[in-house]
Amino acid sequence: MSTGTGGGFQDPPAEVLAEAAAAFGLLATPARLHIVWALAQGESDVTGLAERVGGTLPSVSQHLTKLKLAGLVRSRREGRRQVYLVDDPDVVTVVRLMVGQLAERAGYPAQGLVRLRELGA
């Protein structure tokens, strides 16, 4: 097993790996992944998200709080409503890529999903 910089890539610092693992850990639940997927399509309030992902308002709100604390989601006030969005295009790309690849492998139409081929990989 190589520990060097084979292929021209350097290993990231431990802190970066820990942060990435934490972000992936937050996306490891289907409910949170669905919320991020929905927000990648456009901003929404808690009520709209709960209807879309099939969750209760309290559970969706708790998921949003965790995603917000991790910096994966942000919110803004619009009158009396709190509107949520994913404002990191890299998070959107990763979620769309993963879901798109898995949907394609399972034989589902991958309309609107990012595929590795489209990224030049």
Side-chain angles (χ1 to χ4, degrees):
M1 183 165 150
S2 172
T3 58
T5 58
F9 292 102
Q10 288 189 342
D11 291 340
E15 303 84 41
V16 172
L17 289 171
E19 190 174 328
F24 281 120
L26 280 169
L27 295 175
T29 66
R32 282 192 210 118
L33 186 58
H34 197 173
I35 289 168
V36 172
W37 171 262
L39 291 175
Q41 314 311 309
E43 56 189 40
S44 180
D45 64 5
V46 179
T47 304
L49 282 170
E51 289 173 5
R52 181 161 178 185
V53 303
T56 65
L57 287 174
S59 71
V60 170
S61 182
Q62 287 178 351
H63 288 306
L64 284 166
T65 297
K66 290 179 181 180
L67 291 167
K68 191 174 174 182
L69 285 171
L72 298 176
V73 166
R74 73 177 174 94
S75 65
R76 64 178 171 75
R77 185 148 303 278
E78 196 174 89
R80 296 180 65 192
R81 297 179 338 143
Q82 196 74 350
V83 177
Y84 293 87
L85 60 138
V86 179
D87 70 333
D88 185 340
D90 295 330
V91 170
V92 171
T93 300
V94 168
V95 169
R96 285 183 177 165
L97 175 64
M98 180 56 73
V99 173
Q101 287 298 116
L102 294 173
E104 194 172 280
R105 286 182 195 161
Y108 293 102
Q111 274 183 295
L113 304 176
V114 176
R115 293 177 206 80
L116 281 174
R117 290 186 302 277
E118 294 170 358
L119 293 175

